[in-house]
Amino acid sequence: MPSTLDVLMGGYRAHVHGRSLPRPVAVGFYPNESEVTIQPEGGMDLARVLANLLLWAHTLAEVTAEWSHTTDHRLHVSVLGRATTGARFRVYGGGLFAYTLGLVDLDAGERDGVSLDELYALVCLLREVHSTREAA
């Protein structure tokens, strides 16, 4: 009988097989929570981090998302969903809260639910501001 860890690892392998997804910088397997965690690449570019998170999120079902303004002034975004294998995936990322350019209305220490559409809109606005600044 396979262990929970074996099931999670198999679920991860099955989920990424044949998909072109942003590479993770971290993957964690948590048998006690029956959960796989993924932090997609993106570096210091908040728009890229969030866009990569959204690419992963769109491969999942039963998706919920949350963002928080941490007490150390970072934006943290976490998406929870299920793969077709049934494995639960948590995809997360973020960056300095200042990089939200005032577009996210959260006080330090506050967290709230967020839709994938809101995250997508934030990515678009951040990219628009960035391209406007480069053109100036």
Side-chain angles (χ1 to χ4, degrees), residues 4 8 30-36 82 87-89:
T4 304
L8 290 175
Y30 297 90
N32 289 342
E33 289 85 29
S34 296
E35 185 173 282
V36 178
R82 290 209 180 275
R88 190 168 68 173
F89 279 59

Side-chain angles (χ1 to χ4, degrees), residues 13-123:
R13 281 192 299 273
H15 187 73
V16 299
H17 182 72
R19 285 193 166 101
S20 180
L21 289 166
R23 288 185 313 187
V25 294
V27 177
F29 298 96
Y30 297 90
N32 289 342
E33 289 85 29
S34 296
E35 185 173 282
V36 178
T37 63
I38 297 145
Q39 181 184 10
E41 66 185 350
M44 297 296 292
D45 182 348
L46 182 60
R48 184 172 174 218
V49 168
L50 297 176
N52 287 346
L53 189 148
L54 285 168
L55 287 171
W56 275 88
H58 282 291
T59 67
L60 302 171
E62 303 172 30
V63 174
T64 59
E66 176 180 271
W67 56 11
S68 62
H69 181 173
T70 67
T71 55
D72 60 345
H73 306 291
R74 297 185 60 79
L75 175 71
H76 185 267
V77 179
S78 179
V79 173
L80 184 63
R82 290 209 180 275
T84 56
T85 61
R88 190 168 68 173
F89 279 59
R90 182 176 305 277
V91 186
Y92 65 93
L96 293 175
F97 196 82
Y99 292 172
T100 67
L101 307 174
L103 297 169
V104 177
D105 187 24
L106 290 173
D107 293 328
E110 187 178 11
R111 65 179 54 237
D112 199 4
V114 62
S115 71
L116 297 185
D117 289 340
E118 289 172 301
L119 290 173
Y120 178 73
L122 177 60
V123 169

Side-chain angles (χ1 to χ4, degrees), residues 119-131:
L119 290 173
Y120 178 73
L122 177 60
V123 169
C124 292
L125 289 169
L126 291 173
R127 286 181 172 168
E128 182 180 316
V129 168
H130 183 70
S131 66

